[in-house]
Amino acid sequence: MTVRSQMAWPLRWVAAAVVLGFSAAIALWAFEFGKEIAGLDRGAQAELIRLRNELSQLREEREHAQSIANTAESLLKTERAAEERLVEQLKQSEAEKMSLKADLGFFERLLPTTASAGAEPLQVRGLQVDQESPGHWRYQLLVMQSGRQAQAFTGRYELTFSGTEDGKPWTLTLPGGAQPLQVKQYARVEGRVDGLAHAVVKSVLLRVMDSAGIVCATQTLKF
């Protein structure tokens, strides 16, 4: 014969209540834990949105700064180009100034202070020849007419370089022969002559001739 012990109904109800309470507690904890997890996720999303907004703002600020930098670089290049142009203009002005000073000195040396009585109608007031490099010469001459009412002179001028070449006599005239010359009151003429590099120039003869070939004025420059 088997003897079974049975729990009284009140105890069974108490045990069931305990189990149900424990289960309810576990369910409540799980619910609260899920809410906390969901809350953290929403916070992370909000933080991600904020970071994206900040990144977009930083990109806009970077693009604005890049635009300012590009504008500044363009202005700097323009300023440098303008400065280079000013330097070139200054150099050109200095060269023109030196040329004008040379011209003024040339005329001051050649122009007379007063007209001489009985002066010839056509005069060579100056002849200047400078050697630029071996075999290359640059010449300047000034031809004047006396009298304000003098008629225009039309003729030619001729330059003859004389010297030695390897110890022997040597002469050189302008390429093409005599060059045309027109003088109203005065005429300034300049040019270049290319000759032998090893020739030694000792004198230069200038002759001015009218349209008929008659020599009207001469001048000799010796070195």
Side-chain angles (χ1 to χ4, degrees), residues 63-215:
E63 292 176 357
H64 181 64
Q66 186 65 36
S67 177
I68 294 176
N70 292 337
T71 303
E73 184 178 2
S74 178
L75 292 175
L76 182 60
K77 289 181 179 180
T78 303
E79 183 178 355
R80 287 177 179 174
E83 183 179 356
E84 291 177 357
R85 287 196 299 269
L86 288 176
V87 171
E88 291 297 327
Q89 291 177 0
L90 180 60
K91 291 181 180 179
Q92 184 177 359
S93 298
E94 289 294 330
E96 292 177 353
K97 179 180 177 182
M98 295 300 296
S99 178
L100 290 175
K101 289 180 65 175
D103 292 344
L104 179 60
F106 178 75
F107 278 101
E108 285 179 346
R109 290 192 303 269
L110 301 182
L111 288 174
T113 55
T114 57
S116 303
E120 296 293 333
L122 188 69
Q123 299 180 9
V124 177
R125 301 304 305 179
L127 174 62
Q128 183 174 342
V129 180
D130 298 310
Q131 186 175 11
E132 294 182 336
S133 60
H136 305 280
W137 294 275
R138 181 174 180 269
Y139 66 87
Q140 291 178 307
L141 59 97
L142 180 66
V143 181
M144 297 183 61
Q145 286 198 101
S146 59
R148 296 182 178 179
Q149 303 299 325
Q151 295 183 354
F153 172 84
T154 301
R156 295 173 298 166
Y157 73 93
E158 183 181 65
L159 282 175
T160 302
F161 291 75
S162 300
T164 58
E165 177 188 355
D166 296 332
K168 299 179 181 179
W170 166 87
T171 59
L172 175 68
T173 58
L174 292 177
Q179 302 296 310
L181 176 66
Q182 290 186 344
V183 183
K184 176 60 177 177
Q185 290 185 345
Y186 70 89
R188 180 189 174 191
V189 181
E190 61 180 14
R192 292 185 59 194
V193 178
D194 299 326
L196 299 177
H198 49 278
V200 178
V201 178
K202 294 186 177 180
S203 65
V204 178
L205 172 64
L206 168 66
R207 298 195 307 165
V208 180
M209 300 161 287
D210 61 16
S211 56
I214 300 176
V215 177

Side-chain angles (χ1 to χ4, degrees), residues 47-63:
E47 182 68 14
L48 180 59
I49 293 174
R50 185 182 66 82
L51 291 176
R52 286 178 177 175
N53 292 334
E54 290 183 357
L55 178 60
S56 177
Q57 183 178 0
L58 289 175
R59 286 177 177 174
E60 292 179 357
E61 292 177 355
R62 186 199 65 181
E63 292 176 357

